Amino acid sequence: MLPEISELGKRRRRLGVTQTQLAKLAGVSQSLIAKIERGRVDPSFSNVKRLSDALEVLERRESVSAKDIMTGSIISVRKSELVSGAIKLIQSNGISQLPVMDGEHLIGSFSEGTITELLASGTDSSKLSKMTVVQVMDEPFPTVREDTPISAISPLLQHNSAVVVVRGGKGRGIITKADLLKAVRK
């Protein structure tokens, strides 16, 4: 059953989607959507179906949240750990980055990319392996709550290699770009 035509605009606005974005997704023109929302046209069944289906896709995407796609166990490294130990931890777990912790507090991040950059810039590998993580760490990963929608997480992962999911100020999970694929399968 199709929704009321008058509800299409409300659903679109609630999702924060422009008429142009919805038009592209639904395969109709932006001007048609504008006319429908203003009540100036009686759209065909197929156009209402296209718009409704596109909105349903967006609503499903909005309903997926951090807790649905996060990896529940966070593998982290202490700030006092040697770089050589952190590298072993990355390799043994088949991951490419780690949150750096000071007790229960997230204070930085450690990644293959940082080590690669240091080596490429001429840092001696034997000296690097004996340094502590705190000496080479990057900024901490951004944090989100468990109920954060995937639409807010995706942009964070365009500029960061991971996002930490927190509840009550404590890390409960981690999300990487690979975890976003879980949302596509849902």
Side-chain angles (χ1 to χ4, degrees), residues 54-108:
L55 288 166
E56 282 181 31
V57 167
L58 293 170
E59 288 165 342
R60 267 196 311 273
R61 190 182 308 161
E62 277 296 306
S63 69
V64 176
S65 63
K67 71 178 179 295
D68 299 321
I69 63 168
M70 72 181 190
T71 299
S73 59
I74 301 175
I75 301 168
S76 63
V77 64
R78 293 183 322 275
K79 70 177 187 174
S80 59
E81 181 78 37
L82 292 178
V83 168
S84 60
I87 291 171
K88 286 178 188 171
L89 190 58
I90 281 176
Q91 291 173 331
S92 66
N93 287 285
I95 55 179
S96 58
Q97 66 275 323
L98 296 165
V100 179
M101 306 298 287
D102 183 10
E104 293 187 8
H105 297 92
L106 176 65
I107 62 164

Side-chain angles (χ1 to χ4, degrees), residues 111-176:
S111 71
E112 289 176 339
T114 300
I115 299 305
T116 303
E117 287 175 22
L118 288 168
L119 292 171
S121 70
T123 304
D124 180 75
S125 61
S126 62
K127 288 181 183 177
L128 180 60
S129 70
K130 294 176 180 126
M131 295 173 81
T132 59
V133 168
V134 75
Q135 293 174 290
V136 300
M137 71 181 186
D138 293 315
E139 293 293 316
F141 300 126
T143 60
V144 297
R145 294 184 344 209
E146 291 175 306
D147 61 350
T148 303
I150 194 152
S151 60
I153 297 167
S154 297
L156 292 173
L157 287 172
Q158 290 179 358
H159 305 288
N160 300 277
S161 56
V163 173
V164 175
V165 181
V166 296
R167 181 181 353 122
K170 295 186 180 183
R172 299 294 181 209
I174 191 164
I175 300 172
T176 64

